[in-house]
Every structure is written in structure tokens, then in C-alpha cells.
Amino acid sequence: MAQKLVSKSEWMRFCTTRIETTLSSGGKTTGTGFFFVISQEENLQTIVLITNKHVLDGAKSFSIFLTRKDENDMPMDSPPEKITISGFDSFLVRHPETDVDLCAFILGPTLQMWADKGRYYYYGLMGFETVPTLEELSDLAAVQDIVMVGYPNGIWDEHNNQPVIRKGVTSTDPALNWNNKPVFLIDAACFPGSSGSPVFLYNPLGTQSKSGSYQMGKGLFKFLGILYAGPQHTATGDIVEVPIAQSKLQARSNIPNNLGLVVSSQKLKELIPLVDKRGEEIVKALNQLALNKQRQADA
């Protein structure tokens, strides 16, 4: 039987999934997505998969990898199951701002479809309780230890369905908008395939405020943002910003400089009404489909 997960470091091993896309052009890419829950009403939840827009742009289908769970709701010690999703645009909600590289795929109906077939999956859910408030952000010291969970260059533990966890620090203050954009920079090894990776403030031993005070023993775990791009040096020495999505069979001459651009987790709040509206539309469509099938069966 799987060991009970109790620590944040253990939980982080299951909060993401590797995304494999098949492009309309026939190419393949990989990226990162993570599981997030958005509440519409009391006692009602919408489970979504959060990633970058550019990870799914141009894809005719994408696959995710999920771990089965046992009768005790714990992860089973078995290889992951690959779930391929096509015709997904009606379930996809893109952030309305063109320069905010975020989207949410409404995953609940897919999970319910497999549950109806007796297949249940284990995943680490995040919610807005992990997103720091503006007051918390403003009080944090600009330099903080962070961890990033994802699949750099598509690398993963395929047998155990485990991501790669990398460590770094904030390079700019997460409370400020970098170049007047809702993003901040991190100093970490950011490679293609890491697009969509959640970035956490992870200080299990203590935290430091902007005033310089340090609280020993008061650990802090907060969801700061989502990696979407990174400055790179070209072969000629120019610096450009490119989406961090992994593409196979692609020649590269760009050199990452170990900086990553991260969309603030605050921007997820702006997806709530859009996801709520799309969710209502999906429920109505599914109910109508079920009604039509019932009518055909009764005819």
C-alpha cells in the first residue's frame, strides 16, 4: 500500500502532470500542467488543469499522465495511465489578456467520465488558499527560496509518474510588476518543457520580511506563479524571450541564462468568472446530450 503523504515536498510530487501535445502540423511538444480547484458556489468545485496558452496553441490533441489511487484514496504503486484529449477547445478557457500566458482546461468532466468506468486517479490539488494575499506579498523579502515543479526537456520518472523539482531564488520582487507586466523573475535552471510549471515559495525553516526580521521555525509555503518563458542568448549574443515549451526534432542555437519569467499567481483569480461561465455551459451541454441519448433509447 502506498505511503501516506504528509509533507509539502511529498505533495509536490503529485501536483503536476506531463503534457504531451500533437500539433496540427504533425509535430510533438511537451510542457507542464498542474491541478487547481476553482470554487463556483458553496460545496461545488471545478477542477481545472492550468498551463500556458502556448503549450496548447496549435495542438489538435494533448495527453496527460495520471496515477491510479487505491481504496484508501492513496496513490497506487503502478505506472501512470496516459489520457489523450482531442476536440478540447470548448473546455479551454484562455486568460483574456494577450500578454498573460495562462489558460485553464476544465478537467472535471474527463475525470468523471473515467470515474464512471471505475478508474479513479490521485493528484495533488491546489486552491486559492495557497496563493498569497497582496498584503503577504508586500511583506515578503524580495529574495526568497523557491522550488519549481515540472518536466525540463520533457524529463520525468516515467515509471513512477514523478516530475523534476528544481530549486532557485526570486530574482525580482514577486510583489512588483517586472517591466510593468504581471510577472517576476526567478534564478533557476529553466529549460524547454518547463512551461506551465508552478513556482512555490518554500521556506520550511523560517521566513524573512521586508523589514529584515527573521522568524525561525515559522515555515512558509505559497504558490507564487507559473513559469512561461525565459531570456536566452542567441548565437550572435542577442537576448530574446522565448516560450519554454519542449519541441522534438528542432535545431536550437539559443542558450538559456538560467532566468525564468513567471506569471503571478494573482492572475488566476481573473479566470474564475470565465471558468464559472464555461462550466455552466458544459453542464448544460452534457445534460442535453444525456437527455438526447435517453430519448433515443426510449424510442
Side-chain angles (χ1 to χ4, degrees), residues 34-272:
F34 61 90
F35 307 101
F36 201 84
V37 60
I38 293 180
S39 298
Q40 299 182 95
E41 301 172 4
E42 188 176 358
N43 299 323
L44 181 63
Q45 295 180 330
T46 299
I47 297 175
V48 298
L49 181 71
I50 301 292
T51 189
N52 299 133
K53 295 175 186 175
H54 77 259
V55 171
L56 298 181
D57 283 347
K60 64 178 182 180
S61 67
F62 72 92
S63 300
I64 59 176
F65 298 83
L66 298 178
T67 298
R68 293 279 300 279
K69 67 179 180 180
D70 61 22
E71 64 277 4
N72 296 314
D73 291 334
M74 298 306 298
M76 295 174 64
D77 185 16
S78 61
E81 296 188 356
K82 181 178 181 178
I83 296 176
T84 299
I85 302 166
S86 57
F88 57 84
D89 200 61
S90 60
F91 291 80
L92 190 64
V93 177
R94 294 175 173 84
H95 195 283
E97 298 176 29
T98 56
D99 61 346
V100 176
D101 196 353
L102 287 180
C103 66
F105 173 76
I106 299 178
L107 188 61
T110 299
L111 296 174
Q112 186 60 52
M113 178 187 71
W114 286 105
D116 292 341
K117 298 179 181 180
R119 306 188 83 79
Y120 301 90
Y121 299 102
Y122 184 91
Y123 41 87
L125 271 177
M126 279 189 284
F128 285 107
E129 72 280 357
T130 60
V131 177
T133 65
L134 294 177
E135 290 76 17
E136 288 174 326
L137 273 179
S138 63
D139 189 51
L140 287 173
V143 180
Q144 296 283 349
D145 291 330
I146 58 96
V147 292
M148 178 176 63
V149 187
Y151 307 86
N153 290 123
I155 296 171
W156 64 319
D157 180 348
E158 183 175 354
H159 178 77
N160 296 298
N161 195 23
Q162 298 291 286
V164 174
I165 300 176
R166 315 201 77 158
K167 188 175 181 181
V169 297
T170 53
S171 293
T172 64
D173 192 336
L176 301 177
N177 288 338
W178 169 258
N179 283 333
N180 203 31
K181 297 180 180 179
V183 304
F184 61 95
L185 265 63
I186 59 172
D187 184 353
C190 303
F191 286 89
S194 297
S195 283
S197 295
V199 175
F200 300 104
L201 187 159
Y202 185 51
N203 287 322
L205 300 180
T207 59
Q208 187 176 19
S209 68
K210 276 190 169 62
S211 64
S213 62
Y214 193 86
Q215 295 179 298
M216 292 293 295
K218 185 179 179 182
L220 189 62
F221 179 85
K222 288 293 180 180
F223 170 39
L224 292 181
I226 305 96
L227 184 77
Y228 76 96
Q232 295 187 346
H233 293 279
T234 66
T236 59
D238 298 325
I239 297 179
V240 295
E241 291 179 7
V242 297
I244 304 183
Q246 169 69 10
S247 179
K248 295 183 179 179
L249 301 177
Q250 182 182 25
R252 283 186 173 271
S253 58
N254 292 338
I255 305 170
N257 60 8
N258 283 1
L259 289 176
L261 288 156
V262 181
V263 182
S264 172
S265 57
Q266 303 293 323
K267 301 303 287 184
L268 286 176
K269 298 174 183 177
E270 296 164 8
L271 288 174
I272 296 176

